[in-house]
Amino acid sequence: MISRTASDASFIFVRQDQDASQDLAASRLTESELLVDKSNVETPRAEVDRALAQPQSPAARPPAPKAAPSFAHDWSAAGTGGRLYTHGRHFVDAYGRVCNLRGVNLAGNCKTPTNHDHDTFPANHADVTFVGRPFPLEEAHEHFARLRRWGLTFIRFLVTWEAVEHAGPGIYDTEYLAYLRSILSLLPQFGLTAFVALHQDVWSRYTGGSGAPAWTLEAVGFDLHGLEEPGAAWLRGVRGGGHTEDERGLWPCGYQKLSAATMATCFWAGDAFAPKLRVRDARGADVSIQTFLQTAFLDMWEVVAKTVGDLEGVLGFEIMNEPHRGYAELQSMHQFDYNTDLHLGHVPTAFQSFTLGAGYPTEVGFWTRTFPMPTRLTGKAVLNTARQKAWRQDGPTGGRCLWEMHGVWGWDLKKNEGVVLRESYFKKHPMTGKTIDWYTDFFYPFVQRWAERVRSVSSPDKLVLVEPIPNEFCPSSWTPERQPPNVVYAPHWYDLNALFTKAFGDFTANVQGLSRGMFILKALYWGHQGARENFSLQIRNIVEAGYRSLGERPVVIGECGIPMDMNKGEAFQTDSWIWQTRMMDAMLTALDKSLVGFTLWNYNPDNEDHIGDDWNGENFSWFSRRRALTGDWLDLAQTSPTLDNGARIVRAFVRPYPAKTAGIPVRFDYEMNTGQFTFEWVIPGVDSAPPAEASVASPPLASHPALTSKDTQIFLPSLLAHSRKIVVQGLKPEDRYRYDEARQTLTITTADLVPGERHSVTVSLNPPLKDAFTVNSFWDDFGLHVVAATIVLASILIYVIMSMVS
């Protein structure tokens, strides 16, 4: 068995012209160098600069690994010719090849600090630490080698605002920033690249999700210990709950609750809707709440971008995970939009949340799961009988509801009830009367400011990734003048029916279509073939909506995944993961057909069967380190099956794909039951009119960067190819191929690069893989029954007609 030291030297890849020790320079600080004087908030950025500039002791530097040739899924400078950039809808390397980036979200555990305590939360919120998220630095080589073996080398690296600035405005955690730089410095050695994504859900851990630090809520006037009783937040999910039937899936409802909705409103549109709320910023200036929050956010992002923006492995940045409007554009104080806002459990309307937060007991509707509609109102109950206020008496609102302070509602002392005073307050600008559009009025301008800020301290070449509000298509208003340079569209997709029910079987439904008025029978699918078609339609709709609105911009599905605890967690008892395998295959088959990259949600080393990802009852990680081999038991070579331990459904997500194409991909189909795939691509340069409509299947073929390589590199996993013969069909007479199992790379070299020429190859394994499941369809399962019933009905009809004639 190979030792860890030997495996490091043998299997960590670096650029041949690169001294690996330089990658880690100024990134590993001693304990004394990481101490932060948190009383000094005058020059926080200078303090970060000093800490990160400390020299690294020679003893702390690992030996430089030996250089090795590149491989298909290598996104380091060595693997891309020194450059990976965007052109039109594609990522392109220095040789003009189209690159298909696939990887993971790393990781779900980054939502919570390493010293999070379910029992004491939300106490000690200023003293948390995220050092070691997603894993300790000394374990990084194990995880990165594993992702390299699986071909998942494109990383959406999760960072939270709280991780960087939890102690207070302008006080940055330099120990965490040093850790962040150290771990991201290692990526090129494994061929990995990443974009740093600022993660948030429901604004913050302190409002039931993840993201912003606690002091942001205190700045608005919320009492962190007074949010649960008045229904201003649901916190049991971040305390380890969310696994029981009555708590399952409640956390997204937090977007509509008082605390998160108010925070989002103040962040995006505080100047419009909360102009009376003025606070002192870190420099002592009196500013609006929007200015306070946005300035702190941008300053924090500048620190992050400055810390890691010069690293080879950092391709770009994502502004914010799953943004939300808050109350902006709210059409009624008495209801939320059923199509976009989840109704489950106790869901107060905006007006009800105001009265509850002000300390008044209020009757609220209770919603339960149903079919065909997701939920329905089944009861009512009075909440906040303890008359707890969500607002601090010593806060900037003086203990009053922020929205009462702005005259949105009031309390009628004679009738002893709340009264809405300005029903259209959030629909129109309170001062100008202009109808509000959240995207054009607030989101697009701020994205531009953010992009300029992070590029100014990193590089103008950095990619910036953005996404719309969850479950919305790309808005048509996102026109070129509202897009920052180098923008990448990064929406999310989940099968909402499976997500909502935590169940998957032969029956699937297109919730995306149903929410947009699709006829119900058209939205229902049967069998595995039906699931593939259902998911393919939904993902293609998202991708093509992006092309229509943004133009020819790259699309990456930033999150997509499946619940591992589906079907009441029966797989944990039976160890049969057939339904998880089928669902993962249906999703990845759909992504293949849409020809887009993605980052799966999620690779979480801390996942355990009984607690899942330990956040709001979620269990999405198909890897668990507790099931894996570690340390000296591991061989870090790409061909080593020791890295597969700890993975569930590994055959479903470790799949071949065209990584670098000397041309424009137009079709990729993979059948995981056999291991066979067909790949088609076209040599660009054809002078033709652009397609009439944005289409996945008809990409533009003109105006592509010059191709200087004839090599198309396909990731073909050793997991599938080992001890099997690779059969390649469809090559032209002068074309050649070679397979290097050690680097999991199938290279197809075309004889020439004739513009407009189409290439199509079918690659199979001999012997083929054994079937993992049956690809059934409605006609496979019920075709004979339908035919028999049709014959019987036809016979009856003929008999009736004959009887009437006679």
Side-chain angles (χ1 to χ4, degrees), residues 224-238:
L224 295 180
H225 299 275
L227 299 180
E228 285 186 285
E229 176 65 25
W234 185 74
L235 300 180
R236 284 200 293 276
V238 294

Side-chain angles (χ1 to χ4, degrees), residues 443-633:
F443 184 64
Y444 301 150
F446 187 71
V447 168
Q448 294 277 22
R449 288 176 58 200
W450 165 78
E452 291 171 4
R453 189 76 168 267
V454 296
R455 281 204 179 96
S456 70
V457 296
S458 56
S459 165
D461 295 329
K462 292 296 179 185
L463 305 182
V464 291
L465 293 94
V466 291
E467 59 179 292
I469 292 172
N471 306 322
E472 292 189 359
F473 285 162
C474 188
S476 59
S477 58
W478 215 336
T479 47
E481 69 274 10
R482 293 176 172 137
Q483 301 169 23
N486 281 5
V487 68
V488 174
Y489 183 53
H492 297 175
W493 181 86
Y494 291 94
D495 175 26
L496 295 180
N497 185 56
L499 211 64
F500 185 65
T501 62
K502 271 202 177 177
F504 184 78
D506 275 319
F507 172 79
T508 60
N510 182 348
V511 177
Q512 180 193 90
L514 288 172
S515 67
R516 290 164 173 80
M518 179 181 286
F519 179 55
I520 186 169
L521 293 181
K522 190 177 180 181
L524 306 181
Y525 294 80
W526 180 266
H528 192 68
Q529 185 61 37
R532 286 176 172 177
E533 293 171 359
N534 179 10
F535 294 178
S536 295
L537 174 62
Q538 292 186 53
I539 292 174
R540 186 174 70 248
N541 285 342
I542 290 173
V543 173
E544 291 182 344
Y547 294 152
R548 285 195 300 273
S549 297
L550 298 172
E552 289 293 316
R553 299 287 193 179
V555 178
V556 170
I557 304 300
E559 283 186 24
C560 50
I562 69 169
M564 298 305 298
D565 57 344
M566 63 173 65
N567 301 341
K568 299 183 179 179
E570 64 182 23
F572 297 123
Q573 282 74 48
T574 65
D575 206 36
S576 173
W577 303 88
I578 183 63
W579 291 111
Q580 287 85 350
T581 298
R582 289 180 61 165
M583 186 176 178
M584 179 67 81
D585 171 73
M587 182 180 72
L588 294 183
T589 297
L591 289 161
D592 285 342
K593 290 182 180 298
S594 290
L595 300 172
V596 291
F598 55 82
T599 48
L600 294 172
W601 186 271
N602 80 100
Y603 179 97
N604 183 357
D606 293 337
N607 181 280
E608 295 182 29
D609 291 355
H610 66 289
I611 64 170
D613 295 322
D614 199 22
W615 181 86
N616 274 305
E618 291 202 342
N619 193 337
F620 280 83
S621 179
W622 23 260
F623 172 77
S624 172
R625 192 170 183 270
R626 290 185 178 272
R627 293 169 169 250
L629 297 176
T630 59
D632 291 342
W633 291 99

Side-chain angles (χ1 to χ4, degrees), residues 25-27 43-53 164 172 177-178 180-182 184-185 196 297-312 314 316-317 450-459 462:
S27 65
T43 58
R45 195 160 294 100
E47 185 177 343
V48 172
D49 294 344
R50 287 196 301 273
L52 293 175
V164 179
Y172 304 109
L177 291 168
L180 186 64
R181 182 175 178 86
S182 294
L184 293 175
S185 295
V196 176
F297 182 88
L298 292 173
D299 287 348
M300 174 273 304
W301 250 119
E302 179 178 328
V303 169
V304 171
K306 196 170 185 179
T307 300
V308 301
D310 65 319
L311 298 178
E312 178 192 328
V314 176
F317 306 104
W450 165 78
E452 291 171 4
R453 189 76 168 267
V454 296
R455 281 204 179 96
S456 70
V457 296
S458 56
S459 165
K462 292 296 179 185

Side-chain angles (χ1 to χ4, degrees), residues 103-153:
V104 298
N105 281 262
L106 194 65
N109 63 1
C110 291
K111 297 182 180 184
T112 56
T114 51
N115 60 346
H116 173 77
D117 188 324
H118 291 326
D119 297 327
T120 61
F121 176 82
N124 306 316
H125 53 78
D127 300 321
V128 299
T129 177
F130 286 75
V131 175
R133 296 294 194 208
F135 36 70
L137 193 61
E138 60 269 20
E139 297 176 6
H141 62 292
E142 300 178 9
H143 299 288
F144 291 159
R146 184 174 289 113
L147 293 174
R148 178 182 60 189
R149 167 169 166 80
W150 293 342
L152 299 173
T153 48

Side-chain angles (χ1 to χ4, degrees), residues 245-246 248-253 256 336-347 365-379 496-497 499-502 511 514-515:
E245 184 61 27
D246 61 323
R248 175 169 60 86
L250 288 181
W251 73 264
C253 299
Q256 297 116 259
F336 288 99
D337 186 342
Y338 187 82
N339 287 324
T340 58
D341 299 305
L342 180 63
H343 291 56
L344 189 60
H346 288 109
V347 181
F366 186 85
W367 297 72
T368 55
R369 290 178 170 85
T370 58
F371 186 83
M373 300 301 291
T375 61
R376 65 185 177 92
L377 184 65
T378 57
L496 295 180
N497 185 56
L499 211 64
F500 185 65
T501 62
K502 271 202 177 177
V511 177
L514 288 172
S515 67

